[in-house]
Amino acid sequence: MDEVLSLIDTLDPDNSQSFALLRLLDSSCEGSVLVDRDCRIVWVSDKYRRLLDLPDQLEPRGLEVESLIPNSLMRQVVNTGRAQLLDLMRFKQRWFVVTRIPLRDPSGEVCGALGLVFFDELARLRPLVDKYTRVQLPSPKNPSKPK
């Protein structure tokens, strides 16, 4: 937890490249969460707080991620060190399109994970799904070109 906490504690909105990257990622998605190696929440973006309908007085820092997001797979990412680049996650009556990325310390050990919500409305994915279904990838038995 110390490595991730020190990373967050050093984020300075005036001169930190790390903070700028975190802001860029957060501005490109519908919300984000950062957990430490024990899957305790280190940071939750304001947008994610709104998606989760968290009370203003709730301080999630230090809570196990599953206590806030029951269907979270952040623990799996931390335990395996493998990213989950595109997944669906249910929260209450909603579905989110999410990405989960392990974070590593300078020695290469997993020290936490970053979760990003890219879509909070699955209907927004319809153009991508339609395009995917139109594209026919060649199979090993029939190596013809995709249409």
Side-chain angles (χ1 to χ4, degrees):
M1 181 170 183
D2 292 337
E3 295 89 358
V4 177
L5 285 176
S6 65
L7 170 66
I8 295 301
D9 289 341
T10 61
L11 295 179
D12 178 357
D14 295 324
N15 63 12
S16 174
Q17 291 178 348
S18 298
F19 188 81
L21 177 60
L22 195 55
R23 279 191 313 202
L24 175 65
L25 287 171
D26 189 52
S27 71
S28 302
C29 66
E30 300 298 321
S32 50
V33 61
L34 189 63
V35 299
D36 64 19
R37 73 181 60 205
D38 298 317
C39 291
R40 294 195 177 276
I41 295 171
V42 174
W43 177 79
V44 177
S45 73
D46 290 338
K47 290 192 286 185
Y48 207 7
R49 289 181 67 97
R50 287 189 295 276
L51 277 179
L52 299 176
D53 199 25
L54 299 181
D56 291 340
Q57 66 274 16
L58 176 67
E59 174 51 61
R61 188 173 180 159
L63 296 177
E64 289 192 356
V65 69
E66 297 90 351
S67 70
L68 196 66
I69 309 165
N71 294 323
S72 174
L73 295 180
M74 294 288 277
R75 187 172 304 277
Q76 188 178 68
V77 170
V78 169
N79 289 340
T80 65
R82 291 187 173 159
Q84 296 175 353
L85 297 179
L86 187 61
D87 195 14
L88 296 175
M89 181 184 74
R90 186 178 181 106
F91 183 78
K92 296 184 180 177
Q93 300 303 314
R94 299 177 72 182
W95 286 93
F96 300 142
V97 177
V98 299
T99 294
R100 303 174 191 100
I101 303 167
L103 301 174
R104 298 183 184 277
D105 64 19
S107 69
E109 294 295 316
V110 174
C111 64
L114 174 65
L116 303 166
V117 176
F118 282 108
F119 297 102
D120 62 338
E121 296 175 23
L122 295 184
R124 293 172 56 191
L125 281 178
R126 176 57 57 199
L128 178 64
V129 172
D130 289 346
K131 183 175 182 179
Y132 179 78
T133 57
R134 283 193 313 269
V135 175
Q136 293 182 13
L137 300 177
S139 69
K141 293 179 182 177
N142 184 8
S144 64
K145 294 181 183 179
K147 295 181 180 182

